[in-house]
Amino acid sequence: GTAPTKHAHVVFRLSGGNDLHFEDVRKFGYLRLYRTEDLAREVFDKEAYGPEPLDPSFTPSRFAMCVRGRGKKRIKPLLMEQTCIAGIGNIYADESLWGARIRPQRKADSLSDADLRRLHDAVRESLKASLKLRGTSADMYVDLYGKKGENLSRLKAYGREGEPCGRCGTPIKKIAFAGRGTHFCPKCQK
């Protein structure tokens, strides 16, 4: 029942008289049409997406193997690359790294087995917590029912620049890193 905004790139007219707006303010998204039977071959295999973080195939050993193969890459952009894990964006990369006590700028080959295990677990924990609260409504995001997710107020690092770290009280720092705003605790995250 709402009019499309200036960021609506496509409007789908649905049966029953409703519309579905594809709005993409930052123009990161795209739309393509595939037959269901072609989806795996044309998209998932071709793009080499990593496993979904909450899928059983996302194991600590599979994650470690992928990260270890990336040597000098920095861990935050690697998390968002979609090849080791599918679906991790800026917010959940910051939250996962905070949870694992790992600084976003660290090189992949500097992470110990224990670091990688903590990061694997932190990725899963941050996503599960967010799902329970219907997501993180930063900016204008709403769910299918027009409701904002309630996870934003529970974030530990993302969007908390200058606020005290929930573990040690040190102010959360925000820097520009790998083309994104990056939030971390300069004391807890080594």
Side-chain angles (χ1 to χ4, degrees):
T2 60
T5 71
K6 66 181 182 179
H7 302 293
H9 300 284
V10 178
V11 176
F12 295 94
R13 306 266 182 230
L14 306 176
S15 61
N18 290 319
D19 291 344
L20 175 64
H21 306 173
F22 175 69
E23 296 195 10
D24 189 14
V25 176
R26 295 167 71 188
K27 298 181 181 176
F28 286 163
Y30 61 88
L31 292 173
R32 290 191 183 136
L33 184 62
Y34 294 98
R35 294 182 167 287
T36 302
E37 58 270 15
D38 298 335
L39 197 57
R41 177 178 42 79
E42 292 292 323
V43 178
F44 300 119
D45 294 344
K46 192 180 216 178
E47 299 293 335
Y49 291 117
E52 291 286 332
L54 300 179
D55 190 85
S57 66
F58 179 60
T59 62
S61 60
R62 182 173 179 182
F63 177 57
M65 200 165 50
C66 185
V67 171
R68 294 252 182 266
R70 308 300 171 93
K72 302 292 181 203
K73 286 195 173 194
R74 306 296 177 160
I75 192 61
K76 181 176 177 182
L78 179 57
L79 286 176
M80 298 189 325
E81 201 173 272
Q82 309 303 306
T83 54
C84 285
I85 315 171
I88 300 295
N90 197 40
I91 293 173
Y92 298 111
D94 282 358
E95 291 299 296
S96 299
L97 290 164
W98 183 89
R101 298 176 180 245
I102 296 170
R103 194 162 295 218
Q105 305 96 318
R106 286 207 29 209
K107 292 181 181 177
D109 63 3
S110 77
L111 299 173
S112 69
D113 290 340
D115 290 333
L116 290 172
R117 176 59 170 207
R118 281 194 323 274
L119 184 53
H120 171 272
D121 293 347
V123 165
R124 293 175 54 84
E125 288 168 18
S126 69
L127 290 172
K128 284 179 184 178
S130 180
L131 284 171
K132 283 182 184 174
L133 297 170
R134 292 187 351 273
T136 303
S137 289
D139 303 320
M140 300 180 340
Y141 171 80
V142 292
D143 68 12
L144 181 62
Y145 305 102
K147 294 182 180 179
K148 288 186 166 203
E150 298 172 2
N151 194 50
L152 187 64
S153 65
R154 294 203 171 63
L155 297 177
K156 307 296 185 194
Y158 182 86
R160 297 205 38 193
E161 177 183 13
E163 295 180 31
C165 171
R167 280 190 297 251
C168 74
T170 301
I172 296 292
K173 187 173 183 178
K174 179 182 180 185
I175 60 170
F177 177 64
R180 303 301 299 268
T182 298
H183 306 78
F184 66 98
C185 175
K187 183 175 180 184
C188 290
Q189 290 177 254
K190 303 292 181 194

